[in-house]
Amino acid sequence: MSLMSTKNFIDSQTQRIDLHSHTKCSDGGLTPQELIERALNFQIDVLAITDHDTVAGLSIARSYILEKNLPITLIDGIEISTSWRGFEIHIVGLNIDKHHPQLVQLIEQQQQARELRASTMGEKLEKIGFTDVYQQAKALAEQGSITRAHFAKVLYQQGKVANLQAAFDKYIGKGKRAFVKPQWCSVEQAVEVIHQAGGSAVMAHPVRYDMTTKWLRRLIVDFKTTGGDGLEAVLPQMNNAQRQLMLSFCLEYDLLASMGSDFHYPSKWSDLGRNLLMPDTVTPIWQQWH
Ligand code: AMP
Ligand code: MN
Ligand code: MN
Ligand code: MN
């Protein structure tokens, strides 16, 4: 049987859908198998795995689903880090061909950028007086994408910060002492490669970029101009005003709407599929897949 670049028929009237999630292959807490089991427990029908700059979890999850004949549709996804005018913008690719050569090449390039940033960040942390952070972050990430979330966890485990957020606020967040400017690809490149790989390009969590509405509009215009398909307009943690603004952007800029939890690990505040409902005023991204 040929495994998938099949497009999936999705009916949001009857199905529970979550198009943004992470596994241990990047900075998630669960293995791909554990994530699938959790999705089933939460009655998710359609799940996209979208690890940071890697597709390593997809075949593991898909084999597991096939082997156990589980009632869930897996969407092959990825979350690509990009640079746009000094901001780090995340572009999600959905329904991608994970073996497409252009995508494989971009992933390789992004992994090199992650590796370089991580080792430089390690050196900066050494200068601050923290030892062995890079080595421990590497160990934590194992074979997966190394992220700042791994560094945050090591700093926390070493007792250097009170919680994970504090690691970003004090050391590794933008402009902080151990911050290293990453060498990500452009938004345009990410969109292009996602399209070459047959996927839909979605701007992840537009409300989380810490920019003014004016700048966000500029970003969305650029994204649309490069051929971007959709905005992640439905997230679990958004206030009403934000939700309305994101939905109005979809209409104004003729973009499809995606929705996802950005699940990393079980927590009190968010979980797979929770608080996700696609309003019928916008066109959902899965319309492209029919
Ligand atoms: P990276 O892609 O390597 O820059 O890692 C960023 C990841 O760290 C994000 O995907 C989040 O999962 C996590 N994270 C947690 N808190 C923050 C924060 N304050 N700023 C940025 N990333 C955060
Ligand atoms: Mn993450
Ligand atoms: Mn993200
Ligand atoms: Mn994410």
Side-chain angles (χ1 to χ4, degrees), residues 6 15 46 55 65 122 126 130 149 160 185 205 213 220 252 289:
T6 52
Q15 294 187 302
V46 181
V55 292
I65 291 167
E126 292 277 333
F130 301 156
K160 303 296 195 286
C185 67
H205 43 66
T213 304
I220 292 172
E252 186 176 345
W289 308 335

Side-chain angles (χ1 to χ4, degrees), residues 83 86-88 117-118 120-125 128 148 167-184:
S83 297
F87 291 98
E88 289 184 52
R117 181 189 60 164
T120 313
M121 199 158 32
E123 287 162 17
K124 286 200 172 186
L125 289 164
I128 293 171
R148 282 183 295 166
F168 285 90
D169 295 343
K170 282 187 163 169
Y171 301 111
I172 60 177
K174 188 175 172 184
K176 306 301 178 195
R177 291 165 77 192
F179 179 75
V180 179
K181 193 168 165 278
Q183 302 298 314
W184 305 136

Side-chain angles (χ1 to χ4, degrees), residues 87-125:
F87 291 98
E88 289 184 52
I89 307 301
H90 292 178
I91 306 294
V92 165
L94 296 173
N95 251 321
I96 47 165
D97 167 8
K98 59 183 180 285
H99 301 300
H100 193 279
Q102 254 82 37
L103 180 65
V104 171
Q105 198 195 333
L106 180 65
I107 289 172
E108 179 58 34
Q109 184 190 314
Q110 295 280 104
Q111 288 300 327
Q112 282 173 16
R114 284 194 171 276
E115 193 45 56
L116 180 63
R117 181 189 60 164
S119 54
T120 313
M121 199 158 32
E123 287 162 17
K124 286 200 172 186
L125 289 164

Side-chain angles (χ1 to χ4, degrees), residues 17-22 47-52 75 77-80 88-95 194 200-209 216 219-220 223-224 228-239 241-251 253-264 270 272-279 282-286 289:
I17 299 162
D18 190 333
L19 299 179
H20 190 149
S21 70
H22 294 274
L47 178 74
I49 295 180
T50 55
D51 274 313
H52 298 287
I75 305 284
I78 187 168
E79 181 171 16
I80 301 176
E88 289 184 52
I89 307 301
H90 292 178
I91 306 294
V92 165
L94 296 173
N95 251 321
I194 288 166
S200 305
V202 168
M203 186 189 295
H205 43 66
V207 294
R208 290 220 304 258
Y209 294 125
L216 188 53
L219 169 63
I220 292 172
F223 175 70
K224 175 71 185 177
D229 301 285
L231 290 186
E232 220 169 59
V234 181
L235 314 174
Q237 281 140 341
M238 264 196 311
N239 62 39
Q242 288 174 318
R243 184 180 306 270
Q244 285 315 315
L245 187 64
M246 292 311 120
L247 294 172
S248 73
F249 282 164
C250 286
L251 298 174
Y253 298 104
D254 191 25
L255 288 159
L256 304 172
S258 188
M259 66 178 183
S261 63
D262 200 3
F263 175 83
H264 282 74
S270 93
L272 284 168
R274 198 188 299 168
N275 287 331
L276 295 177
L277 195 65
M278 182 61 76
V282 290
T283 309
I285 190 79
W286 48 86
W289 308 335

